[in-house]
């Protein structure tokens, strides 16, 4: 399996990564199909990350469900879902109060694509990702909604997005900052 990895300021490369597996009967394996970027990605790639490279990137995505744990009954393989960047259980006191970024079931700042726990969770610019609390974290897409449209809306509902296709990987949505020209399509 490969993951797009931030290796140094202004440097990204595809690297081999361990293939994720289902870590519990509540988990799902997903294949990212549309990944959005935000201002934080530009800061990280520009060398302004407090987290030392190398680490996998990509933290906002729409994905296809590939495999499900036995306790997951509300989702199906092949289904398209929106995946949040923060890992949360949905059951602890913090999650029940709507503070999923402070979930007591996972390490502090457990996120996809950046943060101190990124090596455990990986990033969405990879072939596969494990979602530990599938029924809580995964939101099914309505029929006929384009994955890139939703990934773009989730990342930023205001700014325009352009889609750059990465060979044999997910679509990468590049969002220009206000006043900047959109990058060319590849």
């Amino acid at each position: 399996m490969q993951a797009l990895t931030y290796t140094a300021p202004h440097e990204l490369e595809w690297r081999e990564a361990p293939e994720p597996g289902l870590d519990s009967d509540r988990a799902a394996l997903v294949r990212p199909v549309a990944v959005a970027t935000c201002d934080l990605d530009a800061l990280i790639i520009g060398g302004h990350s407090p987290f030392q490279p190398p680490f996998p990137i990509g933290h906002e995505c729409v994905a296809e469900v590939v495999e499900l744990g036995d306790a997951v009954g509300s989702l199906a393989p092949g289904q398209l879902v929106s995946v949040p960047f923060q890992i949360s259980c949905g059951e602890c006191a913090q999650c029940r109060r709507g503070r999923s970024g402070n979930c007591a079931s996972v390490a502090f700042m457990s996120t996809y694509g950046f943060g101190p726990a990124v090596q455990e969770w990986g990033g969405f610019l990879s072939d596969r990702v494990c979602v530990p609390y599938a029924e809580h974290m995964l939101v099914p897409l309505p029929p006929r909604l384009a994955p890139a449209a939703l990934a773009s809306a989730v990342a930023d509902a205001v700014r325009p997005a352009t889609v750059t296709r990465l060979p044999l990987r997910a679509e990468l949505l590049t969002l220009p900052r206000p006043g900047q020209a959109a990058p060319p399509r590849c």
Side-chain angles (χ1 to χ4, degrees):
M1 184 189 93
Q2 295 211 320
L4 190 62
T5 303
Y6 167 70
T7 57
H10 308 286
E11 293 183 22
L12 300 171
E13 63 183 59
W14 288 105
R15 287 192 170 181
E16 289 299 318
E19 185 80 33
L22 293 176
D23 60 2
S24 79
D25 62 352
R26 299 171 61 190
L29 291 180
V30 299
R31 180 182 66 83
V33 296
V35 177
T37 63
C38 73
D39 293 343
L40 184 57
D41 295 306
L43 291 171
I44 290 170
I45 294 167
H48 304 289
S49 172
F51 312 111
Q52 291 300 308
F55 58 86
I57 64 167
H59 66 271
E60 296 171 346
C61 92
V62 170
E64 175 187 11
V65 175
V66 175
E67 188 177 347
L68 296 165
D70 293 337
V72 182
S74 64
L75 300 163
Q79 191 169 17
L80 291 176
V81 292
S82 176
V83 189
F85 75 95
Q86 293 175 323
I87 314 297
S88 61
C89 71
E91 297 175 357
C92 69
Q94 290 89 329
C95 285
R96 286 193 311 271
R97 286 194 303 262
R99 299 189 59 186
S100 59
N102 298 94
C103 179
S105 297
V106 294
F108 176 69
M109 284 189 66
S110 286
T111 61
Y112 296 105
F114 69 93
V118 70
Q119 297 303 335
E120 179 178 355
W121 303 109
F124 290 139
L125 285 165
S126 62
D127 295 324
R128 299 272 188 280
V129 174
C130 180
V131 178
Y133 303 103
E135 291 200 338
H136 166 67
M137 292 178 60
L138 300 178
V139 179
L141 264 64
R144 296 180 301 281
L145 182 62
L150 181 63
S152 174
V154 167
D156 189 335
V158 179
R159 290 183 286 163
T162 60
V163 177
T164 303
R165 297 203 181 270
L166 298 173
L168 306 175
R169 303 287 184 262
E171 294 176 340
L172 172 64
L173 295 171
T174 306
L175 300 170
R177 293 178 151 212
Q180 286 182 325
R185 287 184 175 211
C186 294

